[in-house]
């Protein structure tokens, strides 16, 4: 059976991985934002339905990533609460 210190160390290592993942998610959100701007500039004035659909899908992707960040923050809080109670 692992000691309390070992459990806390393992949780801290996992939380670092989550933090790394959060940074990757944020980078992805930034790239999606850049893509939306590039797409808007390239297709300025186009009334094509596909253009609107592409913008909507990129917005949905950004929203999903934002929700993902929220979920990881909640997971971190729960893990920290757990280790605080050890």
């Amino acid at each position: 059976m692992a000691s309390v210190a070992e459990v806390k160390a393992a949780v801290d290592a996992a939380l670092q991985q989550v933090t790394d993942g959060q940074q990757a998610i944020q980078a992805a959100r930034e790239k999606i934002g850049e893509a939306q701007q590039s797409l808007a500039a390239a297709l300025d004035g186009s009334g094509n339905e596909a253009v609107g659909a592409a913008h909507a899908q990129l917005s949905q992707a950004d929203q999903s990533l934002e929700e993902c960040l929220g979920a990881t923050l909640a997971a971190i809080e729960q893990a920290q609460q757990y280790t605080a109670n050890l």
Side-chain angles (χ1 to χ4, degrees), residues 4-5 7 11 17 25 37 47 61 63-64 68 74-75 77 79 82 86:
V4 170
V7 170
V11 170
Q17 291 174 323
I25 292 167
Q37 290 176 353
Q63 179 64 32
S64 295
C68 184
E77 289 174 9
Y82 173 78
L86 289 177

Side-chain angles (χ1 to χ4, degrees), residues 29 31-41 54-60 62:
R29 288 189 72 203
K31 287 295 184 185
I32 288 173
E34 292 170 9
Q36 284 178 304
Q37 290 176 353
S38 296
L39 186 62
H55 282 291
Q57 291 299 318
L58 289 173
S59 293
Q60 178 60 43
D62 182 62

Side-chain angles (χ1 to χ4, degrees), residues 39 43 46-58:
L39 186 62
L43 302 173
S46 175
N48 189 293
E49 185 177 308
V51 173
H55 282 291
Q57 291 299 318
L58 289 173

